Amino acid sequence: MTRFGAGRIALVGFTTVIAASVSVSISVLAIDLPSTYATVPTPTDAARDSEVGANLEPHPDPNEEHYDNMIYVGRMHHDGETRLGFDVDNGIKFIFGTGFDESHKQIEEEDLRHEHFGPDAHHDLPQGQGKTREQVLRERRHGTVNKDGPKPFGHVDTHPLDGGATPPTVAHVEPFFMDVAPVTNKDFGKFVRSTYYETEAEHFGWSFVLSSFVPKAEMLETSDTDPEAEHWVAVDGAYWRNPEGPGTTYKMRENHPVVHVSHRDAAEYCTWVGKRLPGEREYEAAARAGHWGPKNRTLYSWGDDATTEVAKEYANLWGEGEFPWSNHAEDGWRGTSPVKKYPPNAYGIFDMVGNVWEWQRGGKHKARIVRGASYVDSLDGSFNHAATLGARATMHGTTGTGNVGFRCVKSPKRRVEHHFVYHDEETHGQLAVEDQFGKRDMIPQRGWEDQFEVEDEDGDEFEVETPRKKRKVVKPRSHRSNEL
Protein backbone atom coordinates (compact mmCIF):
# COMPACT_ATOMS: atom_id res chain seq x y z
CA MET A 1 0.00 0.00 0.00
CA THR A 2 1.65 3.19 -1.21
CA ARG A 3 1.35 6.45 0.66
CA PHE A 4 0.22 9.32 -1.56
CA GLY A 5 0.96 12.53 0.32
CA ALA A 6 -0.01 12.41 3.96
CA GLY A 7 -3.20 10.94 5.28
CA ARG A 8 -4.15 9.16 2.02
CA ILE A 9 -4.24 5.62 0.67
CA ALA A 10 -3.66 5.27 -3.08
CA LEU A 11 -6.09 2.98 -4.87
CA VAL A 12 -5.63 2.28 -8.55
CA GLY A 13 -8.12 1.03 -11.14
CA PHE A 14 -7.86 -0.49 -14.61
CA THR A 15 -10.15 1.76 -16.56
CA THR A 16 -8.99 4.42 -18.98
CA VAL A 17 -9.87 8.00 -18.15
CA ILE A 18 -9.93 10.84 -20.67
CA ALA A 19 -9.11 14.34 -19.37
CA ALA A 20 -8.50 17.25 -21.74
CA SER A 21 -7.70 14.92 -24.66
CA VAL A 22 -5.03 13.04 -22.66
CA SER A 23 -5.44 9.29 -22.11
CA VAL A 24 -4.56 8.09 -18.64
CA SER A 25 -4.35 4.36 -17.99
CA ILE A 26 -3.93 4.54 -14.21
CA SER A 27 -6.70 5.75 -11.93
CA VAL A 28 -6.25 6.43 -8.26
CA LEU A 29 -8.69 6.53 -5.39
CA ALA A 30 -7.83 8.71 -2.41
CA ILE A 31 -9.40 8.02 0.97
CA ASP A 32 -8.81 10.49 3.78
CA LEU A 33 -7.38 8.95 6.96
CA PRO A 34 -7.57 10.28 10.52
CA SER A 35 -4.93 12.81 11.47
CA THR A 36 -3.38 10.27 13.88
CA TYR A 37 -1.94 8.31 10.97
CA ALA A 38 0.01 11.11 9.31
CA THR A 39 0.70 14.81 9.34
CA VAL A 40 0.16 17.16 6.44
CA PRO A 41 3.52 17.98 4.81
CA THR A 42 4.57 21.35 3.54
CA PRO A 43 5.05 21.78 -0.25
CA THR A 44 8.83 21.66 0.30
CA ASP A 45 8.60 18.37 2.20
CA ALA A 46 6.29 16.96 -0.45
CA ALA A 47 8.73 17.90 -3.18
CA ARG A 48 11.51 15.99 -1.40
CA ASP A 49 9.31 12.93 -0.88
CA SER A 50 10.41 10.29 -3.41
CA GLU A 51 6.94 8.76 -3.44
CA VAL A 52 5.24 12.05 -4.24
CA GLY A 53 7.95 13.70 -6.31
CA ALA A 54 6.55 12.40 -9.61
CA ASN A 55 3.88 15.08 -9.40
CA LEU A 56 6.27 17.84 -8.36
CA GLU A 57 9.25 17.27 -10.63
CA PRO A 58 10.66 20.35 -12.38
CA HIS A 59 9.13 21.60 -15.60
CA PRO A 60 11.09 20.94 -18.81
CA ASP A 61 13.32 23.80 -19.88
CA PRO A 62 11.52 25.75 -22.65
CA ASN A 63 14.90 26.74 -24.10
CA GLU A 64 15.47 23.14 -25.14
CA GLU A 65 12.23 22.91 -27.11
CA HIS A 66 12.25 23.84 -30.80
CA TYR A 67 9.93 23.14 -33.73
CA ASP A 68 10.48 23.71 -37.42
CA ASN A 69 8.70 26.76 -38.86
CA MET A 70 7.31 27.78 -35.46
CA ILE A 71 8.03 30.85 -33.33
CA TYR A 72 8.04 30.91 -29.53
CA VAL A 73 5.74 33.55 -28.04
CA GLY A 74 6.34 34.18 -24.34
CA ARG A 75 8.30 36.23 -21.84
CA MET A 76 12.03 36.38 -22.43
CA HIS A 77 15.01 37.17 -20.27
CA HIS A 78 16.54 40.64 -20.40
CA ASP A 79 19.03 39.41 -22.99
CA GLY A 80 16.14 38.92 -25.42
CA GLU A 81 17.18 35.36 -26.29
CA THR A 82 16.70 33.19 -23.19
CA ARG A 83 13.17 32.03 -22.46
CA LEU A 84 11.90 32.26 -18.91
CA GLY A 85 11.00 28.96 -17.30
CA PHE A 86 7.74 27.88 -15.71
CA ASP A 87 9.03 28.51 -12.20
CA VAL A 88 8.00 32.15 -12.79
CA ASP A 89 5.13 33.74 -14.65
CA ASN A 90 6.42 33.45 -18.23
CA GLY A 91 3.15 34.34 -19.93
CA ILE A 92 2.34 37.59 -21.71
CA LYS A 93 0.14 40.42 -20.48
CA PHE A 94 -1.18 42.85 -23.05
CA ILE A 95 -4.13 45.10 -23.81
CA PHE A 96 -6.63 43.00 -25.74
CA GLY A 97 -9.30 44.51 -27.97
CA THR A 98 -9.99 47.04 -30.68
CA GLY A 99 -7.50 49.78 -31.42
CA PHE A 100 -10.17 52.39 -32.11
CA ASP A 101 -11.26 52.64 -28.46
CA GLU A 102 -9.12 55.25 -26.69
CA SER A 103 -9.99 53.96 -23.21
CA HIS A 104 -6.93 51.70 -23.33
CA LYS A 105 -4.79 54.78 -22.68
CA GLN A 106 -6.11 54.85 -19.11
CA ILE A 107 -4.27 51.60 -18.42
CA GLU A 108 -0.79 52.43 -17.21
CA GLU A 109 2.28 50.50 -18.22
CA GLU A 110 3.07 49.49 -14.62
CA ASP A 111 -0.37 47.92 -14.27
CA LEU A 112 0.39 45.41 -17.02
CA ARG A 113 3.19 44.02 -14.85
CA HIS A 114 1.18 44.06 -11.64
CA GLU A 115 -0.24 40.75 -10.46
CA HIS A 116 -3.91 41.23 -9.68
CA PHE A 117 -4.57 39.17 -6.58
CA GLY A 118 -6.53 39.82 -3.41
CA PRO A 119 -9.45 42.18 -2.87
CA ASP A 120 -8.46 44.48 -5.74
CA ALA A 121 -8.21 41.74 -8.37
CA HIS A 122 -11.31 42.84 -10.29
CA HIS A 123 -9.89 45.91 -11.98
CA ASP A 124 -7.76 46.62 -15.02
CA LEU A 125 -6.79 50.14 -14.01
CA PRO A 126 -3.90 51.25 -11.79
CA GLN A 127 -4.10 52.03 -8.10
CA GLY A 128 -6.63 54.76 -7.36
CA GLN A 129 -8.57 54.25 -10.61
CA GLY A 130 -9.61 50.63 -10.20
CA LYS A 131 -12.49 49.13 -8.24
CA THR A 132 -12.26 47.14 -5.05
CA ARG A 133 -13.95 43.80 -4.60
CA GLU A 134 -16.70 45.41 -2.51
CA GLN A 135 -17.44 47.98 -5.22
CA VAL A 136 -17.62 45.31 -7.92
CA LEU A 137 -19.97 43.14 -5.86
CA ARG A 138 -22.17 46.14 -5.01
CA GLU A 139 -22.50 47.03 -8.70
CA ARG A 140 -23.37 43.45 -9.57
CA ARG A 141 -26.08 43.29 -6.92
CA HIS A 142 -27.53 46.77 -7.24
CA GLY A 143 -26.52 47.74 -10.76
CA THR A 144 -28.97 49.10 -13.29
CA VAL A 145 -30.97 46.60 -15.33
CA ASN A 146 -30.14 46.50 -19.04
CA LYS A 147 -33.36 47.43 -20.84
CA ASP A 148 -32.27 45.29 -23.81
CA GLY A 149 -32.26 42.23 -21.58
CA PRO A 150 -29.43 39.99 -20.38
CA LYS A 151 -26.60 39.25 -22.80
CA PRO A 152 -26.13 35.62 -23.90
CA PHE A 153 -23.24 33.52 -22.68
CA GLY A 154 -20.05 34.33 -24.55
CA HIS A 155 -21.32 37.69 -25.80
CA VAL A 156 -18.60 40.15 -26.83
CA ASP A 157 -19.22 43.85 -27.45
CA THR A 158 -17.48 44.76 -30.69
CA HIS A 159 -16.41 47.97 -32.40
CA PRO A 160 -18.28 48.78 -35.63
CA LEU A 161 -15.12 49.43 -37.67
CA ASP A 162 -12.83 46.45 -37.04
CA GLY A 163 -15.11 44.17 -35.01
CA GLY A 164 -12.57 44.13 -32.17
CA ALA A 165 -13.60 43.56 -28.56
CA THR A 166 -14.56 46.73 -26.71
CA PRO A 167 -13.65 48.13 -24.30
CA PRO A 168 -10.01 46.99 -24.36
CA THR A 169 -8.93 45.03 -21.28
CA VAL A 170 -5.75 43.53 -19.89
CA ALA A 171 -5.41 39.89 -20.97
CA HIS A 172 -2.92 37.17 -20.10
CA VAL A 173 -1.83 34.18 -22.19
CA GLU A 174 0.52 31.32 -21.41
CA PRO A 175 3.57 30.85 -23.69
CA PHE A 176 3.09 28.94 -26.93
CA PHE A 177 4.62 28.18 -30.31
CA MET A 178 2.95 29.56 -33.45
CA ASP A 179 3.37 28.70 -37.12
CA VAL A 180 5.37 31.36 -38.94
CA ALA A 181 2.78 31.46 -41.75
CA PRO A 182 -0.73 30.21 -42.56
CA VAL A 183 -1.17 26.64 -43.79
CA THR A 184 -0.69 26.54 -47.56
CA ASN A 185 -2.43 24.57 -50.32
CA LYS A 186 0.67 22.39 -50.56
CA ASP A 187 0.60 21.59 -46.83
CA PHE A 188 -3.12 20.85 -46.83
CA GLY A 189 -2.71 18.66 -49.92
CA LYS A 190 -0.30 16.41 -48.01
CA PHE A 191 -2.88 16.04 -45.27
CA VAL A 192 -5.65 15.14 -47.73
CA ARG A 193 -3.53 12.61 -49.61
CA SER A 194 -2.37 10.98 -46.39
CA THR A 195 -5.77 10.70 -44.71
CA TYR A 196 -8.22 10.80 -47.67
CA TYR A 197 -9.93 13.63 -45.81
CA GLU A 198 -13.01 15.24 -47.36
CA THR A 199 -13.63 18.88 -46.49
CA GLU A 200 -17.06 20.11 -45.58
CA ALA A 201 -17.19 22.17 -48.77
CA GLU A 202 -16.78 18.92 -50.73
CA HIS A 203 -19.39 17.22 -48.57
CA PHE A 204 -21.96 20.00 -49.09
CA GLY A 205 -21.01 20.47 -52.75
CA TRP A 206 -20.55 24.25 -52.72
CA SER A 207 -18.68 27.12 -51.11
CA PHE A 208 -18.71 30.93 -51.16
CA VAL A 209 -16.77 32.82 -53.86
CA LEU A 210 -16.44 36.59 -54.16
CA SER A 211 -18.81 37.86 -56.86
CA SER A 212 -16.01 39.51 -58.88
CA PHE A 213 -14.14 36.16 -58.98
CA VAL A 214 -17.04 34.05 -60.26
CA PRO A 215 -15.89 32.42 -63.56
CA LYS A 216 -19.22 32.93 -65.38
CA ALA A 217 -21.38 36.05 -65.21
CA GLU A 218 -24.64 34.07 -65.42
CA MET A 219 -23.83 32.50 -62.05
CA LEU A 220 -24.55 35.85 -60.43
CA GLU A 221 -28.19 35.55 -61.52
CA THR A 222 -28.74 31.86 -60.83
CA SER A 223 -26.69 31.25 -57.68
CA ASP A 224 -27.62 32.05 -54.11
CA THR A 225 -25.76 34.65 -52.09
CA ASP A 226 -24.94 35.00 -48.43
CA PRO A 227 -27.85 36.89 -46.82
CA GLU A 228 -25.42 38.72 -44.52
CA ALA A 229 -22.80 39.39 -47.23
CA GLU A 230 -24.45 39.82 -50.62
CA HIS A 231 -21.14 39.93 -52.50
CA TRP A 232 -20.35 36.30 -51.66
CA VAL A 233 -21.91 33.80 -54.08
CA ALA A 234 -22.57 30.12 -53.34
CA VAL A 235 -20.79 28.37 -56.23
CA ASP A 236 -21.40 24.65 -56.79
CA GLY A 237 -18.21 22.65 -56.95
CA ALA A 238 -16.03 25.29 -55.30
CA TYR A 239 -13.60 23.91 -52.72
CA TRP A 240 -9.92 24.17 -51.89
CA ARG A 241 -8.72 22.48 -55.11
CA ASN A 242 -11.08 24.60 -57.26
CA PRO A 243 -11.06 27.95 -55.42
CA GLU A 244 -13.42 29.74 -57.84
CA GLY A 245 -15.42 26.68 -58.88
CA PRO A 246 -15.19 24.10 -61.70
CA GLY A 247 -12.55 24.97 -64.28
CA THR A 248 -10.25 26.73 -61.80
CA THR A 249 -7.32 25.19 -59.96
CA TYR A 250 -4.94 25.80 -57.08
CA LYS A 251 -1.93 24.45 -59.00
CA MET A 252 -0.34 27.86 -59.56
CA ARG A 253 -1.16 28.83 -55.95
CA GLU A 254 0.42 26.01 -53.98
CA ASN A 255 2.25 28.51 -51.77
CA HIS A 256 -0.92 30.53 -51.10
CA PRO A 257 -2.98 30.01 -47.93
CA VAL A 258 -5.50 27.20 -48.25
CA VAL A 259 -9.08 28.52 -48.39
CA HIS A 260 -12.59 27.04 -48.48
CA VAL A 261 -11.87 25.17 -45.25
CA SER A 262 -14.34 25.10 -42.37
CA HIS A 263 -13.55 25.34 -38.69
CA ARG A 264 -13.64 21.56 -38.38
CA ASP A 265 -11.37 21.10 -41.40
CA ALA A 266 -8.81 23.40 -39.80
CA ALA A 267 -9.02 21.63 -36.44
CA GLU A 268 -8.63 18.22 -38.09
CA TYR A 269 -5.46 19.33 -39.86
CA CYS A 270 -3.96 20.77 -36.67
CA THR A 271 -4.71 17.53 -34.83
CA TRP A 272 -3.06 15.54 -37.62
CA VAL A 273 0.20 17.48 -37.26
CA GLY A 274 0.10 17.30 -33.45
CA LYS A 275 -0.91 20.92 -32.91
CA ARG A 276 -4.11 22.88 -32.29
CA LEU A 277 -5.88 26.04 -33.39
CA PRO A 278 -4.82 29.25 -31.59
CA GLY A 279 -7.00 31.09 -29.14
CA GLU A 280 -7.90 34.61 -30.20
CA ARG A 281 -5.98 36.12 -27.29
CA GLU A 282 -2.95 34.08 -28.31
CA TYR A 283 -3.35 35.28 -31.87
CA GLU A 284 -3.56 38.95 -30.89
CA ALA A 285 -0.61 38.64 -28.50
CA ALA A 286 1.50 37.24 -31.35
CA ALA A 287 0.17 39.84 -33.82
CA ARG A 288 1.07 42.76 -31.56
CA ALA A 289 4.59 41.33 -31.15
CA GLY A 290 5.68 43.30 -28.12
CA HIS A 291 3.43 46.34 -28.65
CA TRP A 292 1.31 45.42 -25.66
CA GLY A 293 1.18 48.55 -23.54
CA PRO A 294 -0.71 51.81 -23.98
CA LYS A 295 2.47 53.71 -24.80
CA ASN A 296 3.56 51.56 -27.75
CA ARG A 297 0.22 50.03 -28.81
CA THR A 298 -0.35 50.62 -32.54
CA LEU A 299 -3.38 50.36 -34.78
CA TYR A 300 -1.70 48.33 -37.53
CA SER A 301 1.23 45.95 -37.59
CA TRP A 302 3.40 48.61 -39.26
CA GLY A 303 2.31 51.51 -37.02
CA ASP A 304 -0.52 54.03 -37.22
CA ASP A 305 -0.09 55.19 -40.83
CA ALA A 306 -3.42 54.54 -42.58
CA THR A 307 -2.31 55.38 -46.13
CA THR A 308 -2.34 52.83 -48.94
CA GLU A 309 1.19 53.82 -49.98
CA VAL A 310 2.54 52.48 -46.69
CA ALA A 311 0.10 49.62 -46.12
CA LYS A 312 0.75 48.01 -49.51
CA GLU A 313 4.30 47.21 -48.41
CA TYR A 314 3.15 45.26 -45.34
CA ALA A 315 -0.19 43.55 -46.02
CA ASN A 316 -2.46 42.20 -48.76
CA LEU A 317 -5.61 44.35 -48.54
CA TRP A 318 -8.20 45.61 -51.03
CA GLY A 319 -6.76 49.06 -51.55
CA GLU A 320 -8.51 52.17 -52.81
CA GLY A 321 -10.70 50.57 -55.50
CA GLU A 322 -14.45 50.22 -55.17
CA PHE A 323 -15.41 46.93 -53.53
CA PRO A 324 -16.08 44.33 -54.92
CA TRP A 325 -15.56 45.12 -58.63
CA SER A 326 -12.53 47.40 -58.77
CA ASN A 327 -9.32 46.20 -57.12
CA HIS A 328 -6.37 48.25 -58.33
CA ALA A 329 -3.94 45.71 -56.85
CA GLU A 330 -1.68 48.34 -55.34
CA ASP A 331 -0.06 45.56 -53.32
CA GLY A 332 0.32 43.36 -56.42
CA TRP A 333 -2.56 40.94 -55.73
CA ARG A 334 -6.31 40.89 -56.36
CA GLY A 335 -6.91 37.75 -54.31
CA THR A 336 -4.75 35.74 -51.96
CA SER A 337 -0.99 36.22 -52.05
CA PRO A 338 1.84 33.75 -51.33
CA VAL A 339 2.71 33.36 -47.67
CA LYS A 340 5.84 35.21 -46.51
CA LYS A 341 5.40 37.67 -49.35
CA TYR A 342 5.32 40.65 -46.99
CA PRO A 343 7.74 41.50 -44.14
CA PRO A 344 7.19 39.65 -40.84
CA ASN A 345 6.36 41.36 -37.57
CA ALA A 346 8.85 41.83 -34.74
CA TYR A 347 8.47 38.18 -33.72
CA GLY A 348 9.21 36.92 -37.23
CA ILE A 349 5.62 35.80 -37.94
CA PHE A 350 4.13 36.45 -41.39
CA ASP A 351 0.64 37.44 -42.59
CA MET A 352 -0.86 38.25 -39.20
CA VAL A 353 -2.91 40.99 -40.88
CA GLY A 354 -4.47 40.72 -44.31
CA ASN A 355 -4.37 37.96 -46.95
CA VAL A 356 -6.91 35.63 -45.25
CA TRP A 357 -8.94 35.52 -42.06
CA GLU A 358 -7.81 32.73 -39.76
CA TRP A 359 -9.95 30.34 -37.71
CA GLN A 360 -9.53 30.50 -33.93
CA ARG A 361 -10.14 28.02 -31.17
CA GLY A 362 -13.40 28.19 -29.21
CA GLY A 363 -16.52 30.21 -29.86
CA LYS A 364 -19.89 28.67 -30.67
CA HIS A 365 -20.68 26.46 -33.62
CA LYS A 366 -22.89 29.15 -35.14
CA ALA A 367 -20.40 31.90 -34.28
CA ARG A 368 -16.83 30.67 -34.66
CA ILE A 369 -14.13 33.32 -34.36
CA VAL A 370 -11.80 34.47 -37.13
CA ARG A 371 -8.99 37.00 -36.73
CA GLY A 372 -6.55 38.95 -38.87
CA ALA A 373 -8.72 40.41 -41.69
CA SER A 374 -8.23 39.46 -45.36
CA TYR A 375 -7.62 40.76 -48.86
CA VAL A 376 -11.21 42.09 -49.09
CA ASP A 377 -10.86 44.42 -46.09
CA SER A 378 -10.02 48.11 -45.92
CA LEU A 379 -7.74 50.25 -43.79
CA ASP A 380 -10.37 52.50 -42.23
CA GLY A 381 -13.42 50.22 -42.18
CA SER A 382 -15.21 52.16 -44.93
CA PHE A 383 -16.18 48.75 -46.36
CA ASN A 384 -15.96 45.34 -44.73
CA HIS A 385 -13.63 45.36 -41.69
CA ALA A 386 -10.78 47.68 -40.83
CA ALA A 387 -7.63 45.53 -41.03
CA THR A 388 -6.25 46.45 -37.60
CA LEU A 389 -4.44 44.24 -35.11
CA GLY A 390 -7.74 43.93 -33.25
CA ALA A 391 -9.80 42.93 -36.32
CA ARG A 392 -12.30 40.23 -35.36
CA ALA A 393 -15.33 38.56 -36.90
CA THR A 394 -17.55 35.53 -36.37
CA MET A 395 -19.14 33.10 -38.82
CA HIS A 396 -20.83 29.73 -38.84
CA GLY A 397 -18.44 26.86 -38.19
CA THR A 398 -19.32 25.07 -41.43
CA THR A 399 -18.71 28.13 -43.60
CA GLY A 400 -16.18 27.82 -46.40
CA THR A 401 -15.13 30.94 -48.30
CA GLY A 402 -12.34 32.14 -50.52
CA ASN A 403 -10.84 34.41 -47.87
CA VAL A 404 -10.65 32.23 -44.72
CA GLY A 405 -7.68 30.03 -43.85
CA PHE A 406 -5.86 29.07 -40.65
CA ARG A 407 -2.57 28.36 -38.90
CA CYS A 408 -1.68 26.16 -35.93
CA VAL A 409 -0.05 26.60 -32.54
CA LYS A 410 1.49 24.25 -29.99
CA SER A 411 1.86 24.51 -26.23
CA PRO A 412 5.31 23.98 -24.65
CA LYS A 413 5.93 20.80 -22.71
CA ARG A 414 5.22 21.00 -18.99
CA ARG A 415 5.37 18.55 -16.13
CA VAL A 416 2.40 16.25 -15.64
CA GLU A 417 0.25 17.22 -12.68
CA HIS A 418 -2.71 15.34 -11.24
CA HIS A 419 -5.88 15.99 -9.35
CA PHE A 420 -8.74 13.87 -8.03
CA VAL A 421 -12.23 13.42 -9.47
CA TYR A 422 -15.15 11.40 -8.16
CA HIS A 423 -15.34 7.84 -9.43
CA ASP A 424 -18.51 5.89 -10.20
CA GLU A 425 -17.69 2.18 -10.28
CA GLU A 426 -20.86 1.32 -12.19
CA THR A 427 -19.71 3.56 -15.04
CA HIS A 428 -15.90 3.42 -14.88
CA GLY A 429 -15.32 -0.04 -13.40
CA GLN A 430 -14.14 -1.33 -10.06
CA LEU A 431 -11.12 0.21 -8.38
CA ALA A 432 -8.23 -1.90 -7.09
CA VAL A 433 -5.61 -1.55 -4.40
CA GLU A 434 -2.00 -1.06 -5.51
CA ASP A 435 0.78 -1.82 -3.05
CA GLN A 436 4.25 -0.29 -2.90
CA PHE A 437 5.55 -2.82 -5.44
CA GLY A 438 2.90 -1.94 -8.01
CA LYS A 439 0.87 -5.11 -7.45
CA ARG A 440 -2.89 -4.67 -7.82
CA ASP A 441 -5.35 -6.45 -5.55
CA MET A 442 -9.01 -6.75 -6.55
CA ILE A 443 -10.13 -8.30 -3.21
CA PRO A 444 -13.08 -6.25 -1.91
CA GLN A 445 -12.22 -4.25 1.18
CA ARG A 446 -14.51 -3.43 4.07
CA GLY A 447 -16.46 -0.25 3.48
CA TRP A 448 -15.94 -0.35 -0.30
CA GLU A 449 -19.53 -1.29 -1.03
CA ASP A 450 -21.70 1.42 -2.54
CA GLN A 451 -24.01 1.06 0.46
CA PHE A 452 -24.38 -1.27 3.42
CA GLU A 453 -26.94 -2.00 6.08
CA VAL A 454 -26.53 -0.86 9.70
CA GLU A 455 -28.83 -1.54 12.61
CA ASP A 456 -29.65 1.26 15.03
CA GLU A 457 -30.29 0.85 18.76
CA ASP A 458 -33.96 0.03 18.19
CA GLY A 459 -33.13 -2.75 15.77
CA ASP A 460 -34.47 -0.87 12.74
CA GLU A 461 -32.45 -1.21 9.59
CA PHE A 462 -31.46 1.77 7.53
CA GLU A 463 -29.05 2.35 4.68
CA VAL A 464 -25.92 4.45 5.00
CA GLU A 465 -24.02 5.57 1.91
CA THR A 466 -20.24 5.34 1.97
CA PRO A 467 -18.20 8.40 1.00
CA ARG A 468 -17.83 8.82 -2.74
CA LYS A 469 -14.61 7.45 -4.16
CA LYS A 470 -12.07 9.46 -6.10
CA ARG A 471 -9.53 8.61 -8.75
CA LYS A 472 -6.35 10.35 -9.80
CA VAL A 473 -6.32 11.88 -13.30
CA VAL A 474 -4.08 14.22 -15.25
CA LYS A 475 -4.87 17.85 -14.51
CA PRO A 476 -5.91 19.66 -17.71
CA ARG A 477 -3.91 22.76 -18.59
CA SER A 478 -6.19 24.29 -21.20
CA HIS A 479 -9.83 25.21 -21.45
CA ARG A 480 -12.06 22.63 -23.02
CA SER A 481 -12.83 23.24 -26.66
CA ASN A 482 -15.40 21.54 -28.86
CA GLU A 483 -13.65 22.02 -32.19
CA LEU A 484 -13.99 18.33 -33.06
Side-chain angles (χ1 to χ4, degrees):
M1 187 164 59
T2 302
R3 183 166 65 88
F4 183 83
R8 288 184 180 273
I9 294 177
L11 303 175
V12 181
F14 299 118
T15 55
T16 300
V17 181
I18 304 299
S21 302
V22 179
S23 298
V24 182
S25 59
I26 298 180
S27 303
V28 175
L29 164 66
I31 300 177
D32 291 330
L33 294 179
S35 58
T36 55
Y37 288 93
T39 58
V40 178
T42 64
T44 303
D45 295 335
R48 295 173 180 172
D49 192 332
S50 59
E51 298 178 6
V52 189
N55 292 334
L56 301 173
E57 62 184 5
H59 288 286
D61 186 359
N63 293 283
E64 299 177 356
E65 194 171 359
H66 302 279
Y67 300 99
D68 293 338
N69 297 317
M70 299 194 80
I71 299 294
Y72 179 82
V73 181
R75 282 182 61 190
M76 308 293 285
H77 196 266
H78 296 300
D79 59 11
E81 297 180 359
T82 307
R83 304 168 186 170
L84 292 179
F86 289 100
D87 54 332
V88 297
D89 180 12
N90 57 355
I92 293 175
K93 277 189 176 183
F94 68 103
I95 300 179
F96 169 82
T98 178
F100 289 108
D101 193 326
E102 297 294 331
S103 62
H104 73 271
K105 294 182 179 180
Q106 299 176 6
I107 304 175
E108 294 184 357
E109 196 76 25
E110 306 83 51
D111 196 58
L112 292 177
R113 303 185 180 93
H114 175 66
E115 298 296 339
H116 294 273
F117 298 109
D120 296 329
H122 291 268
H123 68 79
D124 288 326
L125 301 180
Q127 186 70 25
Q129 300 184 33
K131 298 178 182 179
T132 64
R133 174 182 173 82
E134 289 74 16
Q135 291 174 324
V136 172
L137 292 177
R138 188 180 300 109
E139 289 183 359
R140 290 179 181 176
R141 294 168 181 166
H142 308 289
T144 58
V145 178
N146 188 350
K147 54 186 177 182
D148 296 330
K151 296 178 181 179
F153 177 78
H155 174 80
V156 177
D157 290 323
T158 58
H159 196 276
L161 293 179
D162 63 355
T166 183
T169 57
V170 175
H172 178 275
V173 294
E174 296 293 331
F176 59 94
F177 292 89
M178 173 173 274
D179 286 347
V180 296
V183 176
T184 64
N185 286 309
K186 184 177 181 180
D187 298 331
F188 197 77
K190 295 178 182 178
F191 163 63
V192 172
R193 289 190 295 271
S194 299
T195 62
Y196 298 94
Y197 182 79
E198 183 182 69
T199 63
E200 293 194 298
E202 296 174 79
H203 176 73
F204 296 135
W206 61 273
S207 188
F208 286 114
V209 177
L210 187 63
S211 56
S212 57
F213 290 174
V214 172
K216 296 181 181 179
E218 54 267 21
M219 289 183 178
L220 299 176
E221 301 178 357
T222 59
S223 301
D224 296 328
T225 59
D226 187 341
E228 298 181 358
E230 60 181 1
H231 300 299
W232 290 94
V233 182
V235 176
D236 293 336
Y239 70 110
W240 73 275
R241 290 184 188 273
N242 301 331
E244 287 80 39
T248 62
T249 180
Y250 77 102
K251 286 298 184 181
M252 300 300 292
R253 290 175 273 185
E254 289 190 344
N255 202 34
H256 289 227
V258 63
V259 292
H260 297 290
V261 288
S262 68
H263 188 270
R264 183 183 181 88
D265 300 334
E268 291 282 7
Y269 175 89
C270 290
T271 302
W272 181 69
V273 295
K275 304 175 185 178
R276 60 175 174 83
L277 287 174
E280 65 168 322
R281 283 173 173 77
E282 292 176 327
Y283 188 92
E284 186 166 333
R288 294 197 178 278
H291 296 272
W292 300 320
K295 296 180 181 179
N296 64 353
R297 194 171 189 259
T298 60
L299 195 60
Y300 307 101
S301 59
W302 56 88
D304 293 320
D305 195 323
T307 60
T308 304
E309 288 73 15
V310 174
K312 69 180 182 179
E313 303 295 333
Y314 293 92
N316 178 10
L317 302 174
W318 189 263
E320 297 181 353
E322 182 181 356
F323 180 82
W325 304 107
S326 178
N327 188 338
H328 299 161
E330 293 93 345
D331 50 23
W333 305 92
R334 293 184 61 241
T336 59
S337 58
V339 299
K340 302 181 181 180
K341 176 67 177 179
Y342 299 92
N345 63 12
Y347 273 168
I349 306 177
F350 296 84
D351 293 322
M352 295 298 286
V353 173
N355 210 359
V356 293
W357 289 96
E358 298 185 24
W359 289 113
Q360 305 296 301
R361 191 180 191 187
K364 299 181 180 180
H365 183 61
K366 295 183 178 180
R368 294 294 190 182
I369 304 166
V370 290
R371 296 297 302 264
S374 72
Y375 63 85
V376 303
D377 293 303
S378 60
L379 284 170
D380 56 1
S382 56
F383 57 88
N384 299 329
H385 287 74
T388 66
L389 292 173
R392 180 185 190 272
T394 58
M395 58 182 62
H396 198 285
T398 60
T399 303
T401 71
N403 70 328
V404 177
F406 69 98
R407 77 177 73 208
C408 306
V409 299
K410 189 179 184 69
S411 299
K413 295 178 182 178
R414 301 181 65 171
R415 70 185 180 196
V416 178
E417 297 181 356
H418 300 85
H419 68 154
F420 291 87
V421 298
Y422 287 111
H423 179 87
D424 183 4
E425 290 191 341
E426 293 183 358
T427 304
H428 302 101
Q430 184 179 359
L431 293 173
V433 178
E434 184 179 75
D435 60 18
Q436 59 182 341
F437 302 105
K439 181 179 179 181
R440 298 173 182 172
D441 190 355
M442 293 296 294
I443 299 176
Q445 304 295 313
R446 183 177 180 180
W448 277 30
E449 298 82 2
D450 290 339
Q451 59 186 18
F452 58 95
E453 296 181 357
V454 179
E455 291 188 3
D456 61 5
E457 295 179 356
D458 299 331
D460 297 332
E461 295 183 355
F462 61 93
E463 295 181 351
V464 178
E465 294 185 0
T466 60
R468 288 185 293 179
K469 302 169 185 177
K470 295 181 180 180
R471 67 174 178 269
K472 177 183 173 184
V473 297
V474 173
K475 184 177 180 180
R477 295 194 177 279
S478 59
H479 297 290
R480 292 184 179 274
S481 179
N482 57 347
E483 296 141 5
L484 300 180

